[in-house]
Amino acid sequence: MAPAARAFTAALAGAEFRAPAVPVFSGVTAAPFDPARAAALLAAQITAPVEWVRTVRALRAVGVTRFDEANGTTLTSLLPAIA
């Protein structure tokens, strides 16, 4: 997957990322999305593990109570087990 991540990084070169209009959390860092690191974070999603538990906990810490999942319930079914 590393070659794909490098190619994706190259494809993003020169792209402009701005602060999102609504909060967005990175699945790589489990922290609010940083537009200054957008290309690196997006490419890292190809090779890095998804920090699902940490992300859910971070979202809950800022008051998120509703989680929706497109195309299934694989991840949302894990929510009750995440303290």
Side-chain angles (χ1 to χ4, degrees), residues 25 56-67:
F25 277 63
V56 168
R57 288 178 178 153
L59 289 167
R60 286 180 172 160
V62 297
V64 173
T65 59
R66 179 179 170 164
F67 294 81

Side-chain angles (χ1 to χ4, degrees), residues 5 28 34 47 50 55 81:
V28 173
D34 178 2
T47 57
V50 173
T55 301

Side-chain angles (χ1 to χ4, degrees), residues 1-13 38-48:
M1 294 305 293
R6 285 191 295 276
F8 192 58
T9 299
L12 293 174
L41 288 171
L42 290 169
Q45 288 186 121
I46 297 172
T47 57

